[in-house]
Amino acid sequence: MKVDIWTDGACPGNPGPMGIGVVMKVDGNEQLRTISRNLGYGTNNQAEILAVIHALRNLPCNIEEAEVTLHTDSQLVHGWLMLGWKVKANRELVGEMKCLAALCKSFEVVKVKGHAGDRHNELADHLARQAAGGN
């Protein structure tokens, strides 16, 4: 099953209240699945990582059957998952994110520019900010 995922994390105040936004498009279907959750107090980087973790934990199929394309505007998430960047903070969360990604049948990351008109990325951003208590 092919799943396109757009994720974003928000944390007004950084640190502050964390919100995540996830948008999923399954097998090219235009009907989107979304997740929007407040995750308590934390940092923006934690929110970005947790958005990916929540997306992968809530796939509409077994993770081993998922062909995932993750779209993120987070340079750190992209670097950790695709470029082998060294993890200096949030090691447990990054480790969990990497483990979940490795379980997928296939997994790739597309780095998107934030606030640049990608409607699915904009929706993920809106869901994350709303969940964090922002506007």
Side-chain angles (χ1 to χ4, degrees), residues 3-8 21 23 25 48 52 68-74 77 107-112 118 120-121 124:
V3 184
D4 283 288
I5 301 172
W6 290 261
T7 61
D8 207 353
V23 176
K25 189 175 183 179
E48 293 282 1
V52 176
V68 173
T69 302
L70 172 70
H71 305 261
T72 180
D73 61 13
S74 169
V77 167
F107 186 87
E108 69 175 293
V109 179
V110 175
K111 174 72 172 75
V112 297
D118 179 314
H120 297 100
N121 186 62

Side-chain angles (χ1 to χ4, degrees), residues 40-104:
Y41 190 85
T43 67
N44 190 65
N45 289 342
Q46 289 169 330
E48 293 282 1
I49 300 163
L50 286 164
V52 176
I53 290 170
H54 278 263
L56 294 175
R57 283 185 182 164
N58 289 283
L59 290 169
C61 62
N62 291 331
I63 196 166
E64 297 86 4
E65 299 170 1
E67 299 173 30
V68 173
T69 302
L70 172 70
H71 305 261
T72 180
D73 61 13
S74 169
Q75 186 171 344
L76 284 174
V77 167
H78 179 257
W80 288 323
L81 290 172
M82 299 306 292
L83 304 176
W85 286 7
K86 186 173 182 172
V87 180
K88 296 177 183 174
N90 303 307
R91 289 184 181 173
E92 273 188 36
L93 289 176
V94 173
E96 181 177 355
M97 177 177 66
K98 287 179 159 187
C99 284
L100 288 168
L103 291 173
C104 296

Side-chain angles (χ1 to χ4, degrees), residues 112-126:
V112 297
K113 190 172 187 172
H115 310 288
D118 179 314
R119 69 183 179 107
H120 297 100
N121 186 62
E122 297 290 341
L123 178 55
D125 175 70
H126 172 76

Side-chain angles (χ1 to χ4, degrees), residues 17-21 36-39 126-134:
M18 289 188 296
I20 62 162
S36 180
R37 292 197 180 121
N38 180 290
L39 299 177
H126 172 76
L127 292 169
R129 284 186 292 110
Q130 188 175 37

